[in-house]
């Protein structure tokens, strides 16, 4: 069959646009799907308990930084390490967190902390905790049978 050359051109153009479109779609899906918005760095999640700072989860006072404390959190099915932490009221805290296994959430009720923790990525968030109280940390990413029991507590104390 003889094709009119304009038809042929449109066929090539159409196919070409489709390929470009799928390529862009693939790229953006990859970026959105694999990099949590709060992720700043990478870590080998299989070795994460041996790699600083995740070898020592917990709260640390820091000097010479824009924040007063660093709260290092290691999440795994179905708990957080540390399970409970006390932070002095008014502290500026940098939360540094990751997951050892699957995707978990780190949402602190009553604050603006709401992160997605993905194995292999380090998520960070800086905030000031200026209201005393007990803040429940919940996992807001479905992570398995124990998902609904996955909790920890941040106590902001005077
Ligand atoms: Cu961890 Cu849901």
């Amino acid at each position: 069959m003889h094709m009119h050359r304009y038809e042929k051109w449109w066929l090539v153009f159409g196919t070409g646009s489709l390929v470009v479109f799928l390529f862009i779609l693939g790229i953006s899906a990859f970026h959105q799907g694999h990099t949590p918005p709060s992720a700043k760095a990478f870590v080998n999640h299989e070795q994460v308990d041996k790699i600083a700072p995740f070898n020592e989860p917990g709260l640390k006072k820091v000097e010479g930084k824009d924040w007063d404390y660093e709260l290092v959190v290691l999440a795994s099915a179905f708990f957080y390490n540390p399970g409970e932490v006390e932070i002095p009221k008014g502290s500026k805290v940098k939360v540094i967190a990751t997951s050892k296994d699957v995707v978990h959430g780190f949402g602190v009720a009553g604050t603006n902390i709401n992160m997605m923790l993905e194995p292999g990525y380090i998520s960070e968030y800086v905030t000031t905790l200026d209201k005393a109280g007990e803040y429940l940390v919940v996992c807001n990413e479905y992570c398995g049978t124990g998902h609904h029991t996955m909790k920890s507590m941040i106590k902001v104390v005077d």
Side-chain angles (χ1 to χ4, degrees):
M1 191 191 103
H2 176 78
M3 252 186 181
H4 194 278
R5 69 191 183 108
Y6 291 110
E7 275 173 23
K8 206 163 159 186
W9 191 86
W10 279 112
L11 191 68
V12 169
F13 179 76
T15 310
S17 328
L18 188 67
V19 167
V20 168
F21 175 75
L22 290 175
F23 182 72
I24 291 169
L25 199 72
I27 297 255
S28 50
F30 179 82
H31 280 290
Q32 282 163 15
H34 294 260
T35 312
S38 46
K40 296 282 193 295
F42 307 96
V43 67
N44 176 356
H45 72 277
E46 281 163 11
Q47 299 290 317
V48 75
D49 0 33
K50 298 180 189 89
I51 301 167
F54 301 104
N55 56 344
E56 287 179 354
L59 190 71
K60 284 165 197 104
K61 182 101 178 82
V62 293
E63 303 290 338
K65 294 192 178 173
D66 290 339
W67 45 88
D68 312 307
Y69 289 92
E70 288 178 354
L71 174 58
V72 176
V73 177
L74 187 56
S76 55
F78 300 98
F79 57 91
Y80 297 99
N81 187 0
E84 191 182 300
V85 70
E86 277 193 10
I87 303 177
K89 192 178 101 177
S91 308
K92 194 169 181 184
V93 180
K94 183 183 203 175
V95 182
I96 304 167
T98 191
S99 166
K100 208 159 86 173
D101 40 40
V102 297
V103 175
H104 295 286
F106 188 87
V108 187
T111 74
N112 46 6
I113 307 171
N114 186 12
M115 298 193 290
M116 184 179 175
L117 311 182
E118 251 192 81
Y121 294 91
I122 300 170
S123 294
E124 297 180 348
Y125 195 83
V126 178
T127 193
T128 302
L129 300 165
D130 35 32
K131 266 173 73 186
E134 297 193 341
Y135 295 87
L136 188 66
V137 180
V138 293
C139 180
N140 42 26
E141 299 287 336
Y142 184 75
C143 53
T145 50
H147 164 70
H148 62 286
T149 64
M150 191 165 168
K151 292 177 178 74
S152 68
M153 180 71 82
I154 293 177
K155 291 183 174 176
V156 179
V157 294
D158 275 304

